[in-house]
Amino acid sequence: MRRAASDHRTRSHSCRTSRVKRGNALGSEVIPPQSWHRATWSYAPYQAHQTGSAPNSVVPGYDGNICIVLVGNGLDHGLRTSGGGRLTVRGIEFEDFSTAAIRLAAGSGHVVTGNGFGASSGVSPWPLANKSGVLIEGTATHAQVGSYAFGDRNVFAQSTDAAVKLASNGVGSHIIQGNYIGFNFDGTKRNDSQNKYGIYVQDSGTNQISYNFIGGSQLKATVLTGASAGANRIIENSIGIAPADDA
């Protein structure tokens, strides 16, 4: 598996260490620590690691800490699992990936929290859309995308397809929870491009979609389709209501 991790076990109130490592035919490059990075990939990255991301309260409604911006320039994906193991991603803004910013195709217990997808985070004032933010496919199981905590929610501002897509994944048992989908980091409505779909579930069952704010979708907020899309639980999502208006 190409393992890309954002380890947030060490807590602080700043990006103490931010490191991006990429591989290519000539070897690898390590970008030294700064407060944040804007990294443009010319090759698919195989490792991104950021330590020290911690909750803060600078932006109302979002307590995550974006430390790295990955711009794909049309590459297929930013991070992808292709074998066993677990992927944890936190504190990264993803932009301009042609299939999905994060592709979970294998493994179990993945955690994607506190990230931005095509969102203006202050460090990325003119963000670019991904086709999808998170694509869960193949044999991946028990992934968690977002959670109740402010610092754990992801912000899926704009996608040319679905913000979160579960595709032909069988019995996935994934949790999609507490995310801002189609809104800004501060929970306000977007005035420009948004997501084609909010959450799209195709032939994937036993998943939980709960406590998300979904708005401004060009077609549908949520879609469940396919013979295997059974036993999904849709719980307490707010459709068409901006988080900032729900306070």
Side-chain angles (χ1 to χ4, degrees):
M1 180 182 76
R2 290 179 178 175
R3 189 177 186 279
S6 175
D7 188 341
H8 56 282
R9 290 174 294 180
T10 302
R11 295 294 187 179
S12 71
H13 289 282
S14 64
C15 306
R16 294 197 313 172
T17 304
S18 299
R19 184 178 66 197
V20 179
K21 187 175 182 181
R22 66 184 179 190
N24 55 47
L26 301 177
S28 64
E29 175 182 353
V30 176
I31 300 175
Q34 294 178 8
S35 59
W36 64 272
H37 302 290
R38 186 177 182 88
T40 301
W41 298 121
S42 57
Y43 298 86
Y46 66 84
Q47 184 185 65
H49 179 79
Q50 182 271 317
T51 303
S53 176
N56 61 73
S57 56
V58 175
V59 180
Y62 180 78
D63 285 344
N65 194 5
I66 298 298
C67 296
I68 300 172
V69 179
L70 296 187
V71 182
N73 282 346
L75 285 174
D76 181 83
H77 59 273
L79 307 175
R80 180 176 182 267
T81 61
S82 58
R86 184 181 69 181
L87 171 69
T88 299
V89 186
R90 185 178 179 88
I92 302 177
E93 158 75 7
F94 294 88
E95 300 176 13
D96 197 21
F97 291 97
S98 62
T99 296
I102 299 174
R103 297 185 65 177
L104 304 178
S108 182
H110 308 304
V111 179
V112 179
T113 55
N115 302 286
F117 298 85
S120 178
S121 60
V123 299
S124 184
W126 301 285
L128 302 170
N130 305 291
K131 183 175 181 181
S132 287
V134 175
L135 171 61
I136 304 177
E137 57 187 338
T139 60
T141 61
H142 296 91
Q144 178 166 336
V145 180
S147 83
Y148 295 113
F150 286 161
D152 285 351
R153 65 166 48 102
N154 301 287
V155 178
F156 296 91
Q158 53 178 331
S159 306
T160 59
D161 193 17
V164 180
K165 188 169 188 178
L166 283 61
S168 301
N169 190 240
V171 180
S173 301
H174 308 297
I175 297 175
I176 315 299
Q177 185 177 83
N179 301 287
Y180 287 177
I181 300 176
F183 298 103
N184 297 308
F185 272 94
D186 61 0
T188 57
K189 296 178 181 178
R190 291 182 58 81
N191 296 320
D192 53 6
S193 58
Q194 296 160 321
N195 302 289
K196 186 174 182 180
Y197 299 97
I199 300 173
Y200 196 102
V201 180
Q202 179 181 10
D203 284 318
S204 181
T206 69
N207 305 294
Q208 177 179 312
I209 299 171
S210 58
Y211 305 102
N212 300 283
F213 282 86
I214 309 172
S217 302
Q218 297 170 15
L219 294 182
K220 304 283 187 180
T222 58
V223 174
L224 279 75
T225 184
S228 299
N232 287 297
R233 295 186 294 165
I234 313 297
I235 304 170
E236 295 287 338
N237 297 280
S238 297
I239 308 298
I241 302 173
D245 297 337
D246 192 54

